[in-house]
Amino acid sequence: MSELSFEQMLEDSVKTIRNGEIVQGTVIDVKEDEIILNIGYKADGIITKNEYSNDASLVLTDAVHVGDTMEAKVLKVNDGEGQVTLTYKRLAAEKGNKRLEEAFENQEVLKAPVTQVLDGGLCVNVDEARVFIPASLVSDTYEKDLSKYADQEIEFVITEFNPRRRRIIGNRKQLLLAEKAEKQKELMEKIHVGDTVEGVVKNVTDFGAFVDLGGADGLLHISEMSWGRVENPKKVFTVGEKLKVLIKDINGDKIALSLKFPEENPWLTAAEKFAVGNVVTGKVARMTDFGAFVELAPGVDALLHVSQISREHVAKPADVLSIGQEIEAKVVDFNGEDKKISLSMKALEAPVEEATEE
């Protein structure tokens, strides 16, 4: 037994290790700022906290324990004190780089926590190897403030791999765009003209509202917002509002939407409501020199000709009427096919008695 030990000792004494070599060791002590490893050599190996991790807030005694086995890389065989200086983080980074290289070649989707938020983008660590995701590749939309990503786990692919230039670039945008394209494809296969679907208002402009249908956006044009008139979409819709909309048209990847549901078309009941002879009330919507257009119901306008405003002579409608004014008139003509209705206020006036000469 003692012979074997002697042989072992002899072997250990002549065992040589070189700078750059990877060694296996067992932790025999952990201090606040260093780890001491038995590496089966005449001298112990030392890993300083700085060579263990880039994380300054890491508590070494929590991360590593006596009896743990670990691999490390030799930095210096003799540090001047008869000890071997080792690095753990650089070996981990090399392994990480190898892992990233494979992921780059295979376009593998990686998931890692964000370790740093910078002005120009995000840093993530994969097995101690650092990946940078530029701000322009973080999302498929422009994001001014990236702080919400701090400590978040995110998915990305490696689109540039050049460890020599310390350039390993991650791309999250590519995944989001691919996911969006997939959702769009699914949606397009599902929807048809005439369908009623649910969506969420994403953006409101002067000419319409963009509605997210869950995979693609549709445009609800101002002319399709109501059977009546809409002057300002921003006063009618708010971002985030849920809507039930009608698919009016699909042209390639463009989807036109409408809130003018056919069954709610006011002209369906107009013949009865606005039959000739009926007395109706409405609001003056717009005026021309030849007459005023009166809104009887949202989407139903009637013409009050200048000659039908009064038994007295009226030169221009604007002389006696104003926009928004409520008037009462008699329906004198109804044409459902052409959607034309004619009104007369004059017909409701009492005839003027002719003065008789004595």
Side-chain angles (χ1 to χ4, degrees):
M1 186 71 187
S2 59
E3 244 181 78
L4 186 66
S5 304
F6 179 72
E7 278 174 21
Q8 187 74 48
M9 283 162 65
L10 194 63
E11 192 188 313
D12 285 351
S13 67
V14 294
K15 179 180 174 184
T16 56
I17 55 174
R18 294 178 185 83
N19 289 352
E21 192 178 320
I22 293 163
V23 294
Q24 186 106 14
T26 306
V27 177
I28 52 175
D29 195 9
V30 186
K31 297 177 182 173
E32 201 179 306
D33 56 356
E34 65 179 22
I35 302 161
I36 300 167
L37 280 184
N38 174 358
I39 53 172
Y41 183 60
K42 61 185 176 188
D44 291 331
I46 304 287
I47 303 173
T48 62
K49 183 181 176 182
N50 194 35
E51 284 299 335
Y52 179 75
S53 171
N54 284 320
D55 183 0
S57 63
L58 179 99
V59 179
L60 214 49
T61 49
D62 289 346
V64 183
H65 305 97
V66 172
D68 288 354
T69 57
M70 56 199 292
E71 272 190 333
K73 191 176 189 178
V74 178
L75 282 180
K76 217 174 200 177
V77 174
N78 187 344
D79 63 359
E81 293 179 18
Q83 290 171 319
V84 182
T85 311
L86 304 171
T87 179
Y88 175 79
K89 75 173 186 186
R90 295 188 210 188
L91 178 61
E94 280 172 21
K95 283 182 180 174
N97 274 351
K98 187 80 188 126
R99 167 96 181 81
L100 292 176
E101 188 175 10
E102 285 170 8
F104 169 66
E105 284 167 1
N106 303 325
Q107 279 297 286
E108 182 191 339
V109 177
L110 297 171
K111 196 172 189 177
V114 174
T115 52
Q116 222 179 343
V117 177
L118 306 167
D119 286 343
L122 305 174
C123 285
V124 294
N125 273 20
V126 176
D127 301 340
E128 290 294 323
R130 185 172 173 271
V131 178
F132 180 64
I133 303 175
S136 60
L137 300 180
V138 168
S139 178
D140 58 337
T141 52
Y142 170 70
E143 288 193 276
K144 194 178 178 184
D145 184 15
L146 298 177
S147 61
K148 69 172 186 183
Y149 291 103
D151 303 322
Q152 256 197 48
E153 252 203 338
I154 60 169
E155 288 189 334
F156 55 94
V157 284
I158 306 293
T159 47
E160 195 177 328
F161 182 79
N162 191 340
R164 278 199 189 135
R165 284 185 59 209
R166 302 189 77 175
R167 232 180 118 74
I168 302 173
I169 302 295
N171 186 330
R172 181 172 175 264
K173 179 182 178 178
Q174 187 177 308
L175 295 181
L176 295 178
L177 289 174
E179 191 183 331
K180 210 175 231 182
E182 187 55 38
K183 277 188 179 171
Q184 186 178 8
K185 184 169 167 267
E186 281 175 23
L187 180 77
M188 289 304 202
E189 285 169 359
K190 205 167 61 178
I191 60 171
H192 307 93
V193 172
D195 288 355
T196 299
V197 294
E198 278 200 349
V200 178
V201 178
K202 195 173 171 182
N203 189 18
V204 186
T205 68
D206 292 338
F207 62 84
F210 289 93
V211 182
D212 182 359
L213 304 175
D217 292 348
L219 173 63
L220 176 62
H221 192 266
I222 187 169
S223 61
E224 292 295 329
M225 288 179 171
S226 167
W227 284 106
R229 241 177 242 91
V230 173
E231 301 294 338
N232 184 352
K234 289 178 182 175
K235 286 184 179 174
V236 184
F237 300 102
T238 53
V239 172
E241 182 183 346
K242 283 185 181 173
L243 284 183
K244 269 193 177 174
V245 286
L246 181 73
I247 307 278
K248 186 170 187 275
D249 189 35
I250 300 170
N251 185 358
D253 60 356
K254 289 188 171 69
I255 306 167
L257 306 173
S258 179
L259 283 174
K260 288 157 86 167
F261 295 98
E263 66 274 14
E264 292 169 10
N265 188 336
W267 282 94
L268 293 176
T269 55
E272 193 184 328
K273 281 185 186 171
F274 312 119
V276 171
N278 283 10
V279 175
V280 294
T281 56
K283 277 186 181 170
V284 177
R286 57 192 197 284
M287 285 188 271
T288 65
D289 285 347
F290 64 82
F293 287 92
V294 179
E295 186 182 57
L296 301 180
V300 180
D301 285 357
L303 173 65
L304 173 65
H305 195 269
V306 64
S307 63
Q308 295 299 316
I309 292 174
S310 174
R311 288 183 185 272
E312 290 179 17
H313 174 70
V314 176
K316 303 204 292 288
D319 294 342
V320 290
L321 299 173
S322 55
I323 301 284
Q325 181 183 341
E326 197 165 276
I327 60 125
E328 194 176 49
K330 193 173 194 174
V331 179
V332 290
D333 188 40
F334 181 91
N335 180 342
E337 205 175 306
D338 295 336
K339 295 188 172 60
K340 284 183 178 170
I341 302 172
S342 298
L343 302 176
S344 173
M345 287 172 74
K346 186 164 86 171
L348 295 179
E349 285 181 12
V352 178
E353 295 278 336
E354 294 272 333
T356 52
E357 287 181 16
E358 285 183 16

